[in-house]
Amino acid sequence: MRCERCGAQMKSGRENYLYDECGLDTVTLMNVEVRRCRECGEYEVDIPRLDELHRLIAQEVASKKTRLTPKEVRALRKYLGFSGADFAEVLDVTPETVSRWETGKKQMSPVAERALRLMVFVRAPIAEYPLEMLAEIAQGEAVPLRMKLRDSRAHWKAEEAAAA
């Protein structure tokens, strides 16, 4: 395969890739195909089943036992397809409140956070809703969730997830 930028031959290999395109800087895709150009440094990442991957990321974040970080709130809102104004309307808050949640100027109320987490599961096909898990969410400081996700050819799988 040739580089689209300079036309040189690209070298393909498998490596771990920090997938910050999802809006989070804590998601690592394990052993994915990456093509790199030795001439100009351009690279391409082959990410199979992107919708499934985004669903898994959203469900992993919504399932964590600590409060959501501002980046996670924004990523979940975007995963659900809401604009800031539409999201505010659904949660019966002002768009400015949503902006404050997403910039870290204000923490989401526990009720709004639980509603956001539930929306992730209602919109995604799962067998059961983790209502008991929502009651166990730790109060206090928000901690980002670090994820390592692996493509097993049949589906994406969470290999490891831990609060940072």
Side-chain angles (χ1 to χ4, degrees), residues 71-84:
K71 283 185 179 182
E72 290 168 339
V73 172
R74 184 168 197 255
L76 292 180
R77 173 185 60 79
K78 291 183 95 169
Y79 164 74
L80 291 167
F82 289 119
S83 68

Side-chain angles (χ1 to χ4, degrees), residues 33-52:
E33 183 179 355
V34 179
R35 291 178 290 282
R36 295 190 179 274
C37 177
R38 293 181 182 165
E39 298 296 318
C40 70
E42 184 73 12
Y43 66 93
E44 297 174 356
V45 183
D46 183 24
I47 302 175
R49 297 177 310 284
L50 199 55
D51 289 343
E52 178 188 339

Side-chain angles (χ1 to χ4, degrees), residues 20-72:
D20 56 4
E21 292 91 339
C22 68
L24 302 171
D25 56 6
T26 58
V27 178
T28 302
L29 303 181
M30 308 297 291
N31 198 36
V32 293
E33 183 179 355
V34 179
R35 291 178 290 282
R36 295 190 179 274
C37 177
R38 293 181 182 165
E39 298 296 318
C40 70
E42 184 73 12
Y43 66 93
E44 297 174 356
V45 183
D46 183 24
I47 302 175
R49 297 177 310 284
L50 199 55
D51 289 343
E52 178 188 339
L53 173 63
H54 287 173
R55 183 173 45 253
L56 176 61
I57 292 168
Q59 289 177 349
E60 287 291 312
V61 170
S63 296
K64 74 177 205 163
K65 297 201 182 300
T66 59
R67 299 293 304 267
L68 297 175
T69 67
K71 283 185 179 182
E72 290 168 339

